[in-house]
Amino acid sequence: MNTSFLATVLIVLMILLIVSSLGMGLYYLVRDQGKSKRTVKALSVRIVLSFVLFIALFVAFAMGWLTPHGLFAQ
């Protein structure tokens, strides 16, 4: 399998996990009405996943697994 494809799959998976964690945070906020710590935990997980994705993007660009393309890639 190509490393570029693997990096892309990892990025898409991380974005899906971030969105699902955000959705869980909203669900817990509405369901528990702010009386439990589950909302804070879900949103903390989202922040950590976003940070990991940010670092993974830097590593992927540095290793050459992802390359810019499109209008501004010259």
Side-chain angles (χ1 to χ4, degrees):
M1 210 183 296
N2 191 353
T3 56
S4 176
F5 177 74
L6 191 60
T8 305
V9 169
L10 176 69
I11 290 167
V12 170
L13 180 65
M14 289 293 292
I15 290 173
L16 290 175
L17 287 173
I18 290 167
V19 169
S20 69
S21 178
L22 185 62
M24 286 174 32
L26 176 64
Y27 174 75
Y28 293 143
L29 179 67
V30 171
R31 174 97 175 161
D32 297 341
Q33 298 175 353
K35 296 178 182 165
S36 75
K37 303 249 184 220
R38 294 192 300 181
T39 303
V40 174
K41 191 178 292 187
L43 295 177
S44 297
V45 167
R46 184 187 64 88
I47 291 170
V48 169
L49 288 173
S50 298
F51 183 72
V52 169
L53 176 62
F54 189 71
I55 297 300
L57 284 172
F58 272 119
V59 170
F61 279 118
M63 299 292 283
W65 298 339
L66 295 177
T67 56
H69 62 281
L71 185 61
F72 299 109
Q74 293 183 14

